Structures are given as structure tokens and as C-alpha cells.
Amino acid sequence: MRINIKCSSAIHVLLIIALMPEDVKVTSEFLSSSVGSNPVEIRRLLSSLKKAGIIDVARGPGGASLKKSPEDISLLDIYNAVDPTSLDNLIGIHNHPEPQCPFGKNINSLLSEPYAEISKTVREKMSSINLDQLCKRLKEMEPEITR
């Protein structure tokens, strides 16, 4: 199973918003060229991030800005903003096991607890990583980013 790519796209967008010079208007068209996505998809991400209180978006060509400090935005915050339910089913269980089979009739019960623990661990780790840490790492990788 894979975590939805919306989270990675949202992080990409937020890194740009956080690190672009303040005189650059960060618009959906600008973001879509970097993300490699349609501006409509970027606007959907921006809308989700705005509803979550992570960014502000000025109407028209005004651009986007962070509403919170990068230190206060965790990967889990971002993930919950753009895909709030996928972590509940991080690892899927097949839908039609044989109910007469001793393995099939018990597989869902058997796996529910360990899968819940895995989901909890993923959430905890995502909570421990914030946008500021990613900004700093990106600036180490790309020293020309100066903001």
C-alpha cells in the first residue's frame, strides 16, 4: 500500500510558499509548473490547506502565504488537510475471505490490531517532522535558496 501522493504535492507546495522571496507571488500557475501538476489540482490542494488553517490565499493573482510558522506545521497536519482518511486504512485487507475457512474467517480480526499499531506509529512519526525541518534540509541541498 502507498500513501496518497497528495501529501507529497502539498509539502512541495508549502516548501515553495515558505521559501520563495516575499516579493514573488506564489500562484497556482507558478506552483503547478514546479509540482508538474494541473493548476486546478493545485488550487484544490491550496483550498484544503486553507480550510485546515495552514495557509492564506489572496483572491486573484494575489498568491498564497503561510498562516502558521513552519515549525508549527507537521507532516501529519499536512496529510490530514489533504487526505484525512487514508491513514485509517493504511494497509488494506482483502474483502472476501472464505468464511468457512479457519484462516479466512479470522484474517480481519487477526490483522486489525497490528495494522492499527502500524497506523499509530506512522501518525506519531509524521507528527514529529515539521515543515521547518524540511525547509532547512532543502536549503542544505540547494544553497541558493536564501529565505
Side-chain angles (χ1 to χ4, degrees):
M1 294 287 127
R2 273 185 1 157
I3 292 179
N4 192 313
I5 65 166
K6 287 181 188 178
C7 184
S8 296
S9 296
I11 293 166
H12 188 145
V13 162
L14 290 170
L15 286 167
I16 293 170
I17 293 169
L19 294 173
M20 285 303 294
E22 291 183 19
D23 62 329
V24 175
K25 290 187 180 184
V26 182
T27 64
S28 57
E29 288 76 19
F30 180 85
L31 293 167
S32 69
S33 68
S34 179
V35 175
S37 181
N38 186 304
V40 173
E41 292 299 319
I42 297 300
R43 284 192 283 278
R44 286 186 190 131
L45 281 178
L46 293 174
S47 176
S48 295
L49 294 167
K50 183 177 179 180
K51 286 178 188 172
I54 296 173
I55 63 170
D56 279 324
V57 180
R59 288 201 164 273
S65 60
L66 293 180
K67 193 172 183 178
K68 295 180 171 184
S69 169
E71 297 89 4
D72 296 328
I73 304 170
S74 74
L75 292 189
L76 186 60
D77 295 331
I78 298 165
Y79 194 86
N80 285 336
V82 298
D83 192 8
T85 61
S86 288
L87 285 179
D88 295 334
N89 299 304
L90 183 61
I91 304 173
I93 300 175
H94 52 287
N95 294 326
H96 305 291
E98 174 54 51
Q100 302 305 316
C101 173
F103 303 98
K105 72 180 180 184
N106 291 300
I107 192 69
N108 288 340
S109 297
L110 181 68
L111 293 176
S112 64
E113 185 177 325
Y115 284 3
E117 289 177 29
I118 292 167
S119 179
K120 179 182 175 194
T121 302
V122 170
R123 289 174 191 276
E124 288 170 355
K125 187 61 178 176
M126 290 178 84
S127 292
S128 74
I129 302 168
N130 65 44
L131 185 63
D132 187 58
Q133 293 167 311
L134 297 177
C135 286
K136 288 176 181 172
R137 179 69 181 120
L138 181 59
K139 290 189 326 186
E140 289 173 3
M141 296 166 72
E142 294 291 335
E144 71 273 3
I145 297 174
T146 58
R147 182 171 170 208

